[in-house]
Amino acid sequence: MGTSPEITMILFVAVGCFMAYPEAVTAKHTGITRHYTFNIKPKNIIRLCHTKSIVTVNGKFPGPRVIIREGDRLVVKVVNHVPNNISIHWHGVRQLRSGWADGPSYITQCPIQIGHSFVYNFTVTGQRGTLFWHAHISWLRATVYGPLIILPRRNESYPFVKPYKEVPILFGEWFNADPEAVINQSLQTGGGPNVSDAYTFNGLPGPLYNCSAKDTYKLKVKPGKTYLLRLINAALNDELFFSIADHSLTVVEADAVYVKPFETNVLMITPGQTTNVLLRAKSTAPNVTFLMLARPYATGMGTFDSTTVAGILEYETPSSSLKNRPLLKPGLPAINATNFVANFTSKFRSLATAKFPANVPQKVDKKFFFTVGLGTKPCPKNQTCQGPTNTTKFAASMNNISFALPRTALLQSHFFSQYSKGVYTTDFPAFPLIPFNYTGTPPNNTLVNNGTKLVVIPFNTSVEVVLQDTSILGAESHPLHLHGYNFYVVGQGFGNFDPENDPPNFNLVDPVERNTIGVPSGGWVAIRFQADNPGVWLMHCHFDVHQSWGLGMAWVVLDGELPNQKLPPPPSDLPKC
């Protein structure tokens, strides 16, 4: 007589419960366990003279700061008190053999339903720096996000000057409307969603917006001191330029990986990326107030929030009044300054030292070529839509496959070998099925296919992926995020990738290591990673509108042969769909 999947799951949990989080028994765990409780609950908040109820963690917006050290175990109990289903993603954490805690809904877990809870339990191994956590279902990320700060191990120092103070600055996007209603309307009508009403620094829109002077982020500094700014782009749909008037910034880290330091007056940061910079205050306090500004870098043909968020940098002085100080404003690149962005991005390099090596795969076992861009879906019969035509809806895809979320979590389906029951298929194309001039004249047929298609690769496969933007419905930059892994950015360029002439120019010495990279507008980027982390891992555009339209896919990385190369059973409190 056969054993039901439910009984099988109970047996797996019973046998493997002590192994559910293998870092405790297989890794040299020198850190401590840090406990947090996240109560997901509503809170009334006023921004832009508009009062609304938002979804928060512990009533905070942005959410609470999570601080750990490299090697620490993090245990976070998430309790859902709102009608929305919820899950939390620990963005950039590699989740080595702890994929059950990664958090994207319907990928590694079913979402947490109202009145239920789930404990995220994992150890941060081999990582230090700035990451962040956020909701990973629909558009709840608009208000449910916060910093995840991973300090070096005790008695370990930064590879740069020790800052006087460390300051997280989170870039966000504020909607007067309910973001869930915004995306639901977009999916129903097939049109582009309404854009946000403001950008924010740490939840505050600042003086350039209506009735928001009192809601202004202020950074106070002491003369001669060095500050580490932990910059996080948590905006839903916009890449952002950032600058501080009359101050240069030294970039020292990207996506929780140290980089070769370089100076800049302007940064560009995509949703999902983090950048640590050193700000050295002037030696004497000037009688001036300095504006910090952020506004979008936008390349698409659709509408976007073109406003600017302002914060204030003030020098602490013992007596002089702040009211009569002149206000200095920084310059920012043009909104579509693609060449500036390409030049800025090219400056990022790994440290590539003995202590912080760049372990980029020198040889590749499997190569993939993924087109990334927009497309269309047919409008339902007897309905008028608001897509590119009144008979189509906007869609997004990779290799012309628009990713459809399943009703059951992919990782659970994979672990219990249920994919034959129609949850997903393993035929995601490694290359476009119909090649075309990707950045030239777009094809007449812009329709995409729908499916929950995955790529299966053996444990420890070395992978190269070329991500190619397309001109279908307009060339556009796309920030691509890979769960479960960092990757090395070995090459990028404009136009169509040339498989003969571009690879010889790849940087295999000190390429930057990231978890999120912007695919250039009208161009391509090449990444490499070693598939040494078993599980099911989502790769998707970090513009939430594009993710909602289907711009994503998932990798299945099989178990290795050794016990410490296998994914353990799920925790007993894993949410059910």
Side-chain angles (χ1 to χ4, degrees):
M1 189 173 80
T3 304
S4 72
E6 291 78 11
I7 297 297
T8 303
M9 183 172 180
I10 292 170
L11 290 174
F12 264 113
V13 172
V15 171
C17 61
F18 76 98
M19 290 185 63
Y21 301 100
E23 320 73 293
V25 293
T26 62
K28 185 179 180 183
H29 182 62
T30 58
I32 64 173
T33 300
R34 300 180 188 260
H35 294 266
Y36 289 81
T37 299
F38 280 14
N39 285 300
I40 311 297
K41 58 185 186 179
K43 182 180 183 179
N44 285 333
I45 190 168
I46 301 174
R47 292 290 185 273
L48 312 181
C49 285
H50 184 87
T51 303
K52 62 179 283 194
S53 176
I54 65 171
V55 179
T56 71
V57 172
N58 299 345
K60 296 183 177 180
F61 172 66
R65 190 179 304 182
V66 174
I67 303 177
I68 63 174
R69 288 191 179 275
E70 177 188 350
D72 283 352
R73 179 189 296 281
L74 185 60
V75 178
V76 183
K77 183 177 182 180
V78 177
V79 188
N80 189 7
H81 303 282
V82 298
N84 310 76
N85 290 346
I86 192 80
S87 68
I88 301 295
H89 171 49
W90 311 93
H91 184 109
V93 174
R94 286 208 54 201
Q95 298 292 2
L96 294 167
R97 295 182 62 230
S98 55
W100 303 106
D102 190 41
S105 289
Y106 302 106
I107 306 296
T108 61
Q109 67 167 97
C110 296
I112 306 166
Q113 299 177 29
I114 183 171
H116 291 252
S117 65
F118 177 52
V119 176
Y120 293 91
N121 186 333
F122 56 91
T123 295
V124 175
T125 303
Q127 293 183 272
R128 78 293 303 162
T130 302
L131 296 172
F132 72 121
W133 56 263
H134 61 76
H136 209 300
I137 184 170
S138 190
W139 278 22
L140 290 183
R141 186 168 71 83
T143 57
V144 181
Y145 63 86
L148 173 57
I149 295 169
I150 309 166
L151 300 172
R153 295 180 185 273
R154 293 200 177 276
N155 302 318
E156 297 234 338
S157 58
Y158 297 126
F160 46 81
V161 62
K162 183 179 180 181
Y164 170 72
K165 191 175 182 182
E166 302 182 11
V167 183
I169 300 179
L170 292 89
F171 306 141
E173 217 167 346
W174 174 263
F175 291 78
N176 283 336
D178 177 6
E180 295 296 280
V182 170
I183 184 55
N184 288 340
Q185 180 187 34
S186 170
L187 294 176
Q188 182 178 1
T189 65
N194 293 333
V195 301
S196 55
D197 295 282
Y199 299 107
T200 57
F201 289 146
N202 290 346
L204 301 172
L208 302 184
Y209 292 106
N210 181 42
C211 71
S212 298
K214 68 182 188 310
D215 294 324
T216 299
Y217 174 70
K218 294 182 179 180
L219 174 62
K220 294 188 176 181
V221 298
K222 293 179 181 290
K225 300 294 186 182
T226 297
Y227 295 79
L228 180 68
L229 307 185
R230 298 178 177 270
L231 306 177
I232 299 167
N233 188 349
L236 278 191
N237 294 313
D238 288 284
E239 302 175 287
L240 295 169
F241 293 118
F242 172 74
S243 185
I244 302 177
D246 199 29
H247 287 75
S248 67
L249 303 168
T250 303
V251 177
V252 294
E253 179 199 300
D255 291 0
V257 180
Y258 298 133
V259 298
K260 289 184 172 72
F262 68 90
E263 284 197 14
T264 184
N265 294 320
V266 179
L267 291 103
M268 197 286 295
I269 182 169
T270 77
Q273 286 185 340
T274 60
T275 307
N276 279 7
V277 298
L278 294 177
L279 167 71
R280 181 165 179 79
K282 298 179 184 297
S283 56
T284 57
N287 192 30
V288 175
T289 297
F290 303 92
L291 278 180
M292 304 185 292
L293 297 181
R295 77 170 180 214
Y297 161 58
T299 54
M301 297 177 68
T303 57
F304 60 94
D305 181 352
S306 59
T307 60
T308 302
V309 56
I312 290 177
L313 174 71
E314 292 178 342
Y315 279 76
E316 293 184 8
T317 55
S319 58
S320 61
S321 170
L322 300 178
K323 291 184 178 180
N324 298 322
R325 290 184 177 183
L327 197 61
L328 281 190
K329 180 180 178 181
L332 290 173
I335 275 179
N336 61 349
T338 293
N339 287 334
F340 173 90
V341 171
N343 182 55
F344 174 73
T345 304
S346 69
K347 294 178 181 179
F348 287 83
R349 292 283 187 270
S350 288
L351 281 183
T353 61
K355 187 172 183 179
F356 302 108
N359 294 319
V360 55
Q362 299 295 308
K363 295 182 179 179
V364 174
D365 297 323
K366 289 186 179 292
K367 292 186 177 182
F368 299 87
F369 183 91
F370 295 165
T371 57
V372 177
L374 302 185
T376 60
K377 293 180 180 179
C379 191
K381 289 184 178 180
N382 303 319
Q383 181 179 331
T384 300
C385 290
Q386 298 173 9
T389 69
N390 61 11
T391 61
T392 59
K393 291 186 171 189
F394 277 107
S397 69
M398 298 176 72
N399 277 357
N400 210 46
I401 306 296
S402 187
F403 187 72
L405 283 176
R407 294 184 178 179
T408 243
L410 293 176
L411 183 59
Q412 188 172 332
S413 301
H414 160 65
F415 190 86
F416 294 106
S417 301
Q418 292 173 323
Y419 60 83
S420 60
K421 297 182 179 180
V423 177
Y424 65 88
T425 60
T426 58
D427 56 347
F428 186 90
F431 296 86
L433 297 179
I434 304 176
F436 60 98
N437 183 2
Y438 305 113
T439 56
T441 303
N444 292 327
N445 183 1
T446 62
L447 293 175
V448 303
N449 297 310
N450 299 318
T452 310
K453 298 176 182 290
L454 281 59
V455 171
V456 178
I457 52 177
F459 180 82
N460 218 30
T461 301
S462 56
V463 176
E464 178 181 291
V465 187
V466 174
L467 299 161
Q468 173 74 61
D469 184 35
T470 72
S471 57
I472 298 175
L473 303 185
E476 186 170 359
S477 176
H478 297 277
L480 263 289
H481 171 52
L482 175 60
H483 289 233
Y485 289 91
N486 283 348
F487 51 77
Y488 290 94
V489 183
V490 297
Q492 57 188 328
F494 291 115
N496 296 338
F497 173 73
D498 185 332
E500 296 296 326
N501 296 317
D502 286 326
N505 297 318
F506 282 177
N507 176 9
L508 302 180
V509 177
D510 63 347
V512 68
E513 182 182 350
R514 306 204 73 135
N515 64 61
T516 305
I517 187 65
V519 180
S521 176
W524 57 271
V525 63
I527 65 173
R528 288 186 179 185
F529 64 95
Q530 198 78 24
D532 57 359
N533 192 12
V536 177
W537 305 107
L538 182 64
M539 186 164 76
H540 64 95
C541 184
H542 224 276
F543 289 154
D544 274 21
V545 59
H546 291 173
Q547 185 180 342
S548 297
W549 286 346
L551 209 169
M553 54 81 66
W555 305 85
V556 177
V557 179
L558 300 174
D559 283 350
E561 296 181 357
L562 301 177
N564 65 355
Q565 298 172 346
K566 298 180 186 297
L567 180 71
S572 58
D573 64 339
L574 189 72
K576 296 177 176 58
C577 287

